[in-house]
C-alpha cells in the first residue's frame, strides 16, 4: 500500500496547527491515492502527541523521543524524517511551510533525492499523481506543478488547508525510533520574544500596521484594535525597517506568509512584496486615506479614511462586540 508521510512540528508540548493541517490533508489525499498516512514527530517527551495526530488522520506515528532532541536542530530532525522515508518509501511527503518546515524540508529532500515544491496552497490527485498549486513571483501568478519521480514532497502554507474535527476514536499505531543526534549546529539558548501573544502565522485574525501610522508612538492604535479582536499584530516592512517594531511582525515576501480568516491592513499601501505574504487571507479589510492605494485591489472591504479617526472607533466597536459575545 502506498503511503504519505507528514512532519509534525510542536512547541511547548503542543502540536502546532499547521502540522495537524498537513495530517488532515494527507488523510484527504489518502482516499484518492489509496494510501496510509504516517506522521513523524521528533523531540523530547513527545510520545503523548501521537494520539492527536491519530485523531486528525495518521494511521501510524513514528516517534523519535530522545532528550538530545529537545531543541530543534536541522541535522538530527532531517535525519529522522529521512530515516522514515527510507523505510516507508512514501509516494508523498508533506511538511508545514513554517519556519521549521522551511528549514527541515529542503534538507530532507536533498537527503532522499526528492523534488520539493514549496508553499503549496492546494493539492490534488490526477491520474494517481500529485498536482500542486503554488504562488510564484511574489504572488503575481499561480503555477500548477507536478513531480517527476517519488517521493513527491511539498510544504503546505499554514491556515490554507482545512482542519476538520478530531476523531478521538482513531488510535494510531505508534512506532518508536532512535536517530543519531550529532549536529554541527545546536541551539544554545532560546529567547522568547512574544510570549502570551497570538503567533502571527497561526492567527485567525491579524491587524497590521504600515507607514500610514506616521511613527512608532502611534503603533499602539494597531495593537489596541488587535487586542480588542483577539488578533495577532503584523506590520509592513517599511515600519520594521524604520525600527518601529521587531522583524518578527513583518508580513510579506521577506517576512512571514500568513493566511488568516481576517486580515486588517491599516495604513499599508499594498506593495506587491507585502501582498505576497497576505493575499491568500480569506477576508481582507483595508483602511487607507488614498482611494487609489493598491491594497484596495485585493481587499474585500475597504474604508477610505484617516486611520487616526477610524482605529479608535473600530477598537471601541470591537470591544463592545466581543464583550457581548463572551
Ligand atoms: C526585495 C524586497 C522585499 C520586500 N519585502 C517586503 C515585505 O516582506 N513586506 C513588506 O511589507 N514590504 C516589503 N518590501 C517593501 C515594499 O516594497 C513597500 O515599500 C512596503 O510594503 C511599504 O510599506 P507601507 O505600505 O507601510 O508604506 P507606504 O507604501 O509608504 O504606504 C503607506 C500607506 O499609508 C497610507 N496613509 C498615510 N496616512 C494615512 C492615514 N492617516 N490614514 C490612513 N492611511 C494613511 C498612504 O496612503 C499609503 O498608502 C520589500 C521590498 C523589496 C524591494
Amino acid at each position: 500500500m502506498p503511503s504519505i508521510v507528514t512532519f509534525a512540528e510542536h512547541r511547548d508540548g503542543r502540536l502546532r496547527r499547521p502540522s495537524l493541517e498537513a495530517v488532515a490533508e494527507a488523510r484527504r489525499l489518502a482516499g484518492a491515492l489509496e494510501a496510509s498516512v504516517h506522521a513523524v514527530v521528533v523531540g523530547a517527551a513527545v510520545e503523548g502527541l501521537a494520539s492527536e495526530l491519530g485523531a486528525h488522520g495518521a494511521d501510524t506515528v513514528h516517534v523519535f523521543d530522545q532528550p538530545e532532541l529537545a531543541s530543534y536542530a536541522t541535522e538530527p530532525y532531517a535525519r529522522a524524517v529521512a530515516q522514515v522515508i527510507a523505510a516507508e518509501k512514501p509516494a508523498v511527503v508533506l511538511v508545514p511551510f513554517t519556519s521549521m518546515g522551511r528549514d527541515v524540508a529542503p534538507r530532507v529532500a536533498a537527503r532522499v533525492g526528492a523534488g520539493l515544491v514549496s508553499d503549496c496552497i492546494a493539492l490534488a490527485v490526477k491520474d494517481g499523481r500529485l498536482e500542486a498549486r503554488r504562488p510564484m513571483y511574489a504572488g503575481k501568478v499561480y503555477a500548477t506543478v507536478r513531480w517527476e519521480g517519488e517521493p513527491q514532497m511539498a510544504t503546505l502554507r499554514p491556515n490554507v488547508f482545512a482542519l476538520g474535527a478530531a476523531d478521538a476514536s482513531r488510535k494510531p499505531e505508534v512506532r518508536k525510533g532512535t536517530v543519531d543526534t550529532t549536529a554541527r549546529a545546536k541551539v544554545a539558548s532560546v529567547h522568547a520574544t512574544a510570549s502570551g501573544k497570538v503567533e502571527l502565522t497561526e492567527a485567525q485574525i491579524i491587524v497590521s500596521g504600515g507607514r500610514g501610522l506616521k511613527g512608532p508612538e502611534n503603533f499602539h492604535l494597531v495593537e489596541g484594535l488587535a487586542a480588542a479582536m483577539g488578533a495577532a499584530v503584523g506590520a509592513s516592512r517599511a515600519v520594521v525597517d524604520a525600527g518601529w517594531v521587531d522583524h518578527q511582525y513583518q508580513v510579506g515576501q521577506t517576512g512571514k506568509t500568513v493566511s488568516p480568516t481576517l486580515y486588517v491592513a491599516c495604513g499599508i499601501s499594498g506593495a506587491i512584496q507585502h501582498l505576497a505574504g497576505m493575499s491568500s487571507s480569506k477576508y481582507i479589510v483595508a483602511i487607507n486615506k488614498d482611494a487609489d492605494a493598491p491594497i484596495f485591489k485585493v481587499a474585500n472591504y475597504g474604508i477610505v479614511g484617516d486611520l487616526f479617526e477610524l482605529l479608535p472607533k473600530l477598537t471601541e466597536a470591537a470591544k463592545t462586540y466581543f464583550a457581548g459575545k463572551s
Side-chain angles (χ1 to χ4, degrees):
M1 187 187 215
S3 61
I4 303 175
V5 167
T6 72
F7 173 69
E9 185 180 334
H10 53 88
R11 192 167 293 166
D12 301 326
R14 295 183 56 193
L15 286 163
R16 296 194 62 199
R17 186 186 158 98
S19 309
L20 299 174
E21 291 168 1
V23 171
E25 179 63 9
R27 183 80 260 152
R28 195 184 66 79
L29 296 170
L33 290 169
E34 294 179 19
S36 57
V37 175
H38 296 243
V40 184
V41 60
V42 187
V46 289
E47 196 180 332
L49 302 176
S51 54
E52 195 177 358
L53 290 164
H56 281 280
D59 300 305
T60 306
V61 180
H62 301 260
V63 178
F64 293 84
D65 199 335
Q66 294 165 243
E68 303 87 339
L69 297 169
S71 289
Y72 172 75
T74 315
E75 286 169 285
Y77 274 55
R79 214 175 275 137
V81 181
Q83 238 170 262
V84 173
I85 293 172
E88 297 299 329
K89 301 192 174 34
V92 174
V93 179
L94 304 180
V95 177
F97 190 60
T98 54
S99 299
M100 192 189 289
R102 289 187 206 201
D103 188 63
V104 80
R107 182 69 69 121
V108 172
R111 274 178 180 268
V112 302
L116 173 63
V117 179
S118 63
D119 196 16
C120 297
I121 56 165
L123 294 174
V125 175
K126 294 262 167 73
D127 303 323
R129 302 280 301 170
L130 204 60
E131 197 173 85
R133 201 168 138 77
R134 67 180 297 272
M136 284 175 68
Y137 306 119
K140 274 198 167 157
V141 295
Y142 288 89
T144 301
V145 187
R146 291 184 202 96
W147 287 254
E148 285 179 4
E150 287 185 349
Q152 303 160 93
M153 191 166 173
T155 53
L156 310 190
R157 182 177 285 203
N159 275 349
V160 171
F161 292 86
L163 180 61
D167 176 359
S169 68
R170 291 190 93 265
K171 303 284 181 217
E173 178 193 342
V174 176
R175 288 190 205 159
K176 294 181 194 171
T178 52
V179 67
D180 171 10
T181 57
T182 318
R184 282 169 291 179
K186 285 187 179 165
V187 175
S189 62
V190 176
H191 299 269
T193 48
S195 60
K197 292 191 181 162
V198 186
E199 161 64 27
L200 200 52
T201 52
E202 293 181 26
Q204 293 300 314
I205 308 176
I206 295 174
V207 181
S208 259
R211 192 148 45 193
L213 283 151
K214 309 286 187 232
E217 67 281 7
N218 298 321
F219 208 77
H220 70 92
L221 293 170
V222 164
E223 291 166 337
L225 179 57
M229 297 174 79
V233 172
S236 72
R237 177 165 163 176
V239 311
V240 170
D241 283 354
W244 301 1
V245 294
D246 190 80
H247 180 261
Q248 63 171 311
Y249 296 103
Q250 185 180 315
V251 172
Q253 189 182 329
T254 44
K256 289 185 174 159
T257 304
V258 299
S259 287
T261 306
L262 174 62
Y263 188 90
V264 185
C266 312
I268 292 176
S269 59
I272 184 73
Q273 296 90 353
H274 188 80
L275 301 185
M278 46 63 77
S279 58
S280 61
S281 304
K282 194 163 182 195
Y283 295 102
I284 297 170
V285 174
I287 301 169
N288 199 303
K289 68 176 186 185
D290 175 7
D292 295 324
I295 191 77
F296 288 124
K297 292 205 177 101
V298 297
N300 302 87
Y301 299 94
I303 308 176
V304 179
D306 185 345
L307 61 83
F308 292 100
E309 281 175 31
L310 289 162
L311 288 186
K313 287 181 185 162
L314 280 171
T315 304
E316 281 316 306
K319 277 183 188 161
T320 311
Y321 176 77
F322 285 105
K325 289 203 125 194
S326 61

